[in-house]
Structure formats: C-alpha cells, structure tokens
C-alpha cells in the first residue's frame, strides 16, 4: 500500500503515527505491548487498511468537483477539516536528519507521545531479552547466528530513542501559509524537554545495556561461511563475541542525538529567548551526571560505564571542536570538558581499583591533549550501531529509501 501510494504521487508523512497511525506513507514500527503474562504481544503490530491522512491526500489530489465549484476553496476546506481533526503532514526533510526538531515526525516510531512510548518500548525490549536464547534460531543453525537475531531485539528501541531525543531542543511547526490562520512554530514545552532527557539517559545505564550472562555463554565464534555483516555488531574481540559492543552501539546512537551540533545551538538560542527552556549547560551537566559522575561500578557493569563514558567524551570533544557548531556551543562544550578534567583529577586520587585508576588517567590525558591541540587526540572512535532499517541482504531500496524486493523491481 505504501509503494502504491508513491505511484499515486504521495510523499512520506512521518507525522502520522501519533494520530492513530494515520498514514501508510509513514514508516510504521511494529507496535508491541506486554500481555498479562509479561510476554511481548504482537496482535496489534500493524494497522489495517489505509489511514485517515491517505484518504485526505487522495481526495485533495484526485477529487472531481461539480461545475461551478470554487475548486481552490473546496481544496482548502479538505485540508482545513483534516488539520482540525489533528492530522498533520511532515515529510523526509523534517524527520530524517539527526538535527530534526519536530517532536512528532519520526521514522519507525509509535505512540501519541515519543517519551511515553520509549518507556513502553524499553519494557518490551527487557521482556524480549529475558526470553532470548537458543529458541530464537532454527534447529541445526550455528549457535553463532544467535547474534544475527539478537541485534534487532537489543536495538529494538533505537528509533524510539531517536524520536524522544528530538524533543530536546525541539520546535514543532507546520507548513504555514499566509492568510490561512496556521499555527506558528512552537518551542517544545520546557518540562517535556527535561522529561525526554531523563528518559533517554535511562537507556544508557549499565542495567539497560548489559547482555545477560546466560546469553553471552551461548555465542561462540562464527564458523566458516557465516561471516559478519553490516547488520552485526562491530566487535573489538575478534573472533570472540564482544560483550561491550552492543553497549557501545547504543551509546553512540544516543550520544549522537543528544550532542548534535544543531540541537546544541537551538538549546542555546531557545534558552536565551526564554530562560525557562533548558540550556546547553544544563543538558551537558545532566548527561555527565548520568554517565561520568554516576557511582563507579565494577566488573561487567563497570566496563559498560567506561564504554559509555568514552563515547560521551568523544562526542563532547566533537562538539567543542565542531566546525558546524556555533561559537557559543563550542565555548560551553570546552568549559564542560575543562570542568570534567578537574573533577576527574580529584577522583583519580581515590580510585576504586587499579582498573579505574587507569581509566581516569587515560581520560585526563585525552582532555589535556584536546585542549593543547584537538588534532592530537587519539581516542578510539566509537563503533557505530549495526545498520538497522529493513534493508537486509535479500532486499534493496529505491531512491527514497523504501524497501522493495528485487524480484519485483
């Protein structure tokens, strides 16, 4: 139905999912919920039939009018009535860039509110991970291929994280026309921005990122003929499965949105225009409080913390040195790096153990290198998440990114 919509001239509408899944021209994520037994329930995974926006768009583009009808006025009424019902239209330019500001236009999201739905998605993900194991692959398949089906479960929340992150420094808008009484652009409410930040930061806590030990013990190195693909985690422990790679992938994904240069610039400007809005200083302070300055853990949880912290440090340095970033964004990021260095120096005098001492020593040295000359920094770059949109080995995409089967091309 989505591709037929394109043949009829319809563009993507990524603002449809918050309004009752109002268009097949959105990219719909399967809607999962937890049943009474705590098991993920997919009985309402996808909507049935075309959506309300699709009916409006087809009527607007193809409806015939009786002779003598004022066609322009009639078309205006078609859209006005749709907007009065809460229907919206925002497309690729409004949803795809990491810097997007709309709180409603997202790919592969669900729910009427991006923040609340992220909480629901995290519960479904946790339940799925608890149940995950050998039964998730076919009998006789190499156990190493568990990783192939682990990725979409572990990363199940990636697009809802993206949606919630865009609430921070967000501004909602419509394609306003003069004389139509359209709503002016609105900065997302301050309390919503702060609520979004708190919920997103929960997704990079060690307890949300740890792969169950029972699962780690199941995954052996890959046999011949089953090489790694771009839809697997990027590992640093070849040939052994990397227990920290999944955490690094999520941390890189989340941090990339939170410390996006355009988002940071909006935070500075929106706070300057109205001090009730969170500013960049507040956002960075909360990120650091949730990561670097959280109580130091040991063991596996401690190494997850180290992994997340280094991703945050790398992206904070990128913000301080970003050529697209405004001077004030770079100034704030530079100050926060210096404050972090001072805090780390104090902490290094009371390390939990030698492992933590080494970590703090390394981080302090990297910040000093950056302050002397950003080009001297030699942090290991964070590993990007596996490719996630449904573009697997047996499928391709058209120019707009929509999926097609090559045999039907």
């Amino acid at each position: 139905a989505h591709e037929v919509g394109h043949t009829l001239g319809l563009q993507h509408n990524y603002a449809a999912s918050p309004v009752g899944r109002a268009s097949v021209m959105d990219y719909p994520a399967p809607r999962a919920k937890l049943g009474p037994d705590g098991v993920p329930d997919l009985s309402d995974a996808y909507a049935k039939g075309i959506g309300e926006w699709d009916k409006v768009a087809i009527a607007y583009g193809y409806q015939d009018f009786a002779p003598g009808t004022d066609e322009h006025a009639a078309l205006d009424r078609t859209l006005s009535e749709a907007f009065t019902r809460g229907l919206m239209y925002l497309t690729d330019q409004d949803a795809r860039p990491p810097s997007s500001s709309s709180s409603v236009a997202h790919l592969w999201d669900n729910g009427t509110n991006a923040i609340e739905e992220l909480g629901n998605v995290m519960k479904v993900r946790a339940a799925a991970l608890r149940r995950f194991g050998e039964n998730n692959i076919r009998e006789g398949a190499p156990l190493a291929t568990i990783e192939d089906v682990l990725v979409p479960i572990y990363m199940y929340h990636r697009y809802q994280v993206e949606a919630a992150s865009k609430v921070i420094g967000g501004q909602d808008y419509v394609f306003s026309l003069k004389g139509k009484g359209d709503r002016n652009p609105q900065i997302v409410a301050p309390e919503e921005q702060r609520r979004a930040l708190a919920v997103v930061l929960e997704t990079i806590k060690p307890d949300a990122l740890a792969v169950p030990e029972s699962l780690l013990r199941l995954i052996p190195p890959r046999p011949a003929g089953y090489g790694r693909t771009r839809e697997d985690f990027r590992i640093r422990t070849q040939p052994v499965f990397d227990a920290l790679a999944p955490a690094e992938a999520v941390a890189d994904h989340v941090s990339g949105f939170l410390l996006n240069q355009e988002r940071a610039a909006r935070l500075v400007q929106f706070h300057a225009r109205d001090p009730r809005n969170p500013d960049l200083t507040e956002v960075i302070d909360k990120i650091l409080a949730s990561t670097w300055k959280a109580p130091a853990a040991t063991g596996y949880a401690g190494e997850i913390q180290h992994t997340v912290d280094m991703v945050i440090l790398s992206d904070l340095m990128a913000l301080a040195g970003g050529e697209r970033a405004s001077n004030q964004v770079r100034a704030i990021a530079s100050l926060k790096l210096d404050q972090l260095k001072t805090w780390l120096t104090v902490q290094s005098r009371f390390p939990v153990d030698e492992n933590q001492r080494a970590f703090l020593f390394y981080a302090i040295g990297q910040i000093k290198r950056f302050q002397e000359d950003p080009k001297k920094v030699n942090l290991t770059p964070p590993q990007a998440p596996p490719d996630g949109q449904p573009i697997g080995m047996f499928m391709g995409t058209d120019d707009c990114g929509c999926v097609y089967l090559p045999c039907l091309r």
Side-chain angles (χ1 to χ4, degrees):
H2 178 102
E3 300 305 338
V4 168
H6 281 314
T7 70
L8 295 173
L10 303 188
Q11 295 188 45
H12 295 133
N13 183 1
Y14 293 125
S17 51
V19 194
R21 298 190 278 190
S23 177
V24 298
M25 303 313 297
D26 203 336
Y27 278 7
R31 179 183 291 175
K33 55 188 177 184
L34 293 182
D37 55 358
V39 175
D41 176 7
L42 289 167
S43 60
D44 189 33
Y46 293 105
K48 298 177 177 65
I50 65 174
E52 290 303 306
W53 174 257
D54 304 319
K55 298 172 186 176
V56 170
I58 293 300
Y60 186 87
Y62 288 96
Q63 182 174 353
D64 292 324
F65 296 98
T69 300
D70 184 337
E71 184 170 331
H72 288 294
L75 291 173
D76 278 350
R77 279 196 301 273
T78 298
L79 292 183
S80 296
E81 291 170 2
F83 297 147
T84 299
R85 289 189 284 148
L87 296 174
M88 296 175 283
Y89 169 71
L90 294 168
T91 189
D92 294 73
Q93 65 186 31
D94 311 291
R96 287 188 183 273
S99 60
S100 299
S101 76
S102 172
S103 69
V104 297
H106 317 291
L107 285 66
W108 311 113
D109 70 319
N110 264 318
T112 58
N113 182 283
I115 306 168
E116 292 169 7
E117 186 61 21
L118 178 55
N120 296 332
V121 164
M122 290 301 289
K123 292 175 184 176
V124 171
R125 173 182 177 270
L129 284 174
R130 283 194 300 268
R131 294 167 49 82
F132 200 89
E134 291 185 56
N135 289 337
N136 288 84
I137 58 174
R138 287 191 288 268
E139 192 71 24
L143 281 174
T145 61
I146 289 175
E147 181 187 356
D148 300 341
V149 289
L150 170 63
V151 170
I153 298 299
Y154 187 90
M155 302 294 298
Y156 173 64
H157 60 312
R158 67 190 298 170
Y159 298 110
Q160 204 64 44
V161 164
E162 180 177 331
S165 296
K166 292 177 182 176
V167 174
I168 305 159
Q171 182 186 69
D172 287 323
Y173 58 92
V174 296
F175 300 131
S176 307
L177 298 177
K178 180 180 177 180
K180 301 299 182 182
D182 294 327
R183 186 183 66 180
N184 293 325
Q186 299 287 327
I187 296 172
V188 174
E191 58 273 16
E192 279 292 278
Q193 295 188 54
R194 292 186 172 96
R195 191 163 71 101
L197 179 60
V199 173
V200 170
L201 288 175
E202 286 296 315
T203 68
I204 53 174
K205 296 290 182 66
D207 58 349
L209 296 175
V211 178
E213 181 65 27
S214 59
L215 185 54
L216 291 175
R217 291 175 180 172
L218 277 178
I219 307 176
R222 302 179 79 89
Y226 291 86
R228 309 190 68 78
T229 75
R230 66 185 192 176
E231 294 183 2
D232 291 313
F233 293 115
R234 282 90 168 159
I235 65 173
R236 304 186 191 278
T237 53
Q238 189 72 27
V240 174
F241 179 74
D242 189 338
L244 297 175
E248 187 171 359
V250 168
D252 181 67
H253 184 67
V254 172
S255 180
F257 283 99
L258 294 182
L259 296 176
N260 172 271
Q261 294 181 24
E262 289 81 7
R263 177 161 292 103
R266 291 201 299 269
L267 285 164
V268 170
Q269 293 186 24
F270 291 170
H271 179 76
R273 291 166 53 190
D274 185 344
R276 293 175 299 177
N277 292 317
D279 64 1
L280 180 59
T281 296
E282 176 186 338
V283 169
I284 294 177
D285 282 343
K286 287 183 176 178
I287 293 171
L288 294 177
S290 183
T291 55
W292 280 94
K293 298 182 181 181
T298 58
Y300 183 31
E303 287 308 315
I304 290 175
Q305 277 187 324
H306 291 168
T307 299
V308 173
D309 290 350
M310 279 302 172
V311 171
I312 296 296
L313 180 60
S314 178
D315 285 349
L316 188 55
M317 287 178 174
L319 195 61
E323 295 181 357
R324 298 194 325 274
S326 71
N327 286 316
Q328 185 60 14
V329 165
R330 296 177 68 172
I332 292 170
S334 297
L335 175 63
K336 291 304 166 183
L337 278 172
D338 193 66
Q339 291 175 347
L340 178 61
K341 182 185 70 174
T342 301
W343 184 86
L344 291 171
T345 302
V346 173
Q347 296 301 306
S348 67
R349 300 170 189 156
F350 312 100
V352 174
D353 53 29
E354 195 72 1
N355 194 45
Q356 182 72 354
R357 183 190 299 273
F359 176 70
L360 297 174
F361 172 80
Y362 176 73
I364 293 168
Q366 292 298 327
I367 296 175
K368 288 179 179 177
R369 282 173 177 263
F370 178 84
Q371 292 176 325
E372 292 167 2
D373 182 355
K375 295 179 181 178
K376 290 183 179 179
V377 175
N378 62 351
L379 274 174
T380 302
Q383 296 280 35
D387 292 344
Q389 298 202 42
I391 51 174
M393 294 172 63
F394 302 107
M395 305 186 84
T397 60
D398 63 16
D399 291 339
C400 74
C402 294
V403 176
Y404 67 85
L405 292 171
C407 61
L408 301 180
R409 183 65 166 170

